[in-house]
Amino acid sequence: MDEPPGVQNERTSLAWVRTALGFAACALLAGRLAVVREAGWAVGAAIAAAVLAVGVLGWSHDRYRRAARRLQRERSVDFGLPALGLTVAVVAIGLLALLLIAL
């Protein structure tokens, strides 16, 4: 079964949107923990997660548009380096969240 062109691009974009929603949820949880435990540094974690959520959402939208244009021109779609950077940021925020929960 052949998929229509652009379906993979849309699925990838939706996956990044889900990642951004996950960061937004982490930001809310970190903010709640900051209030409950009165930990000042947890506010920084909440802000970092919120900024990252907005950044991932914006990058996802931009990536979708650029990839759609490249697919229309039948050119290669390769955005590996920005995706690697976001993956490193995801892991860093995840580790920070684990540290916040452990304390």
Side-chain angles (χ1 to χ4, degrees):
M1 240 187 325
D2 289 334
E3 294 179 345
V7 172
Q8 182 180 10
N9 186 34
E10 187 172 342
R11 280 196 312 256
T12 302
S13 179
L14 290 173
W16 281 110
V17 168
R18 286 190 302 270
T19 301
L21 289 173
F23 275 130
C26 286
L28 291 173
L29 290 174
R32 171 121 166 79
L33 284 174
V35 170
V36 170
R37 295 187 181 176
E38 297 177 1
W41 65 273
V43 174
I47 291 171
V51 167
L52 196 55
V54 171
V56 167
L57 194 59
W59 179 78
S60 169
H61 180 68
D62 182 57
R63 185 209 168 279
Y64 178 81
R65 285 193 352 252
R66 287 186 294 140
R69 281 194 303 261
R70 286 178 155 267
L71 286 171
Q72 284 177 345
R73 294 183 212 146
E74 296 180 4
R75 296 179 69 188
S76 171
V77 178
D78 183 21
F79 301 115
L81 191 58
L84 177 64
L86 282 173
T87 301
V88 168
V90 167
V91 170
I93 293 293
L95 291 174
L96 187 59
L98 286 174
L99 181 65
L100 179 63
I101 291 170
L103 295 178

